[in-house]
Amino acid sequence: DSGAHAAPPRPAAAAQEAAHAVVRAVAEQAEAAQSAERRLAKVFTAMPAKDAARILEQMDDRDVQQILSLIADRQAAAILGSLPAPRAASIGKASLRPQTKGR
């Protein structure tokens, strides 16, 4: 035996690997959420604007903004035009403010 044994894992290396695992998991969750948003936006584009607006009217402004951002401008305009004017204005106004990640 030459005295060469495998060194136990260093705590810093283990912590770094754990951090990488967390980052990968968060990235995978974010990708899944974006995929779900894209799919939902696709569903809304498949229905008449008035029907989409009726459903979106029940959703949070930020969620509506996100969905409309994934829809073609003409269709998004038709949906906004089908919402009650105060709600469409609120969504439009909120779209002018920069969004922060995680909100």
Side-chain angles (χ1 to χ4, degrees):
D1 191 51
S2 65
H5 295 288
R10 295 187 335 255
Q16 188 175 16
E17 182 54 40
H20 286 300
V22 169
V23 168
R24 283 191 300 272
V26 169
E28 288 171 7
Q29 285 180 333
E31 179 56 37
Q34 288 174 348
S35 179
E37 289 170 349
R38 286 189 299 269
R39 185 174 184 282
L40 188 56
K42 210 173 187 182
V43 168
F44 282 114
T45 61
M47 62 177 67
K50 285 188 185 293
D51 293 340
R54 195 176 74 244
I55 296 166
L56 290 170
E57 193 172 351
Q58 305 305 313
M59 297 174 71
D60 178 81
D61 282 1
R62 279 184 290 192
D63 293 335
V64 174
Q65 284 177 266
Q66 183 61 33
I67 290 166
L68 292 179
S69 75
L70 299 170
I71 295 176
D73 290 348
R74 188 174 296 256
Q75 182 123 22
I79 292 170
L80 273 174
S82 297
L83 287 170
R87 181 71 192 278
S90 173
I91 292 166
K93 189 176 181 181
S95 296
L96 297 174
R97 288 187 223 114
Q99 288 187 338
T100 56
K101 275 293 195 195
R103 292 187 81 195

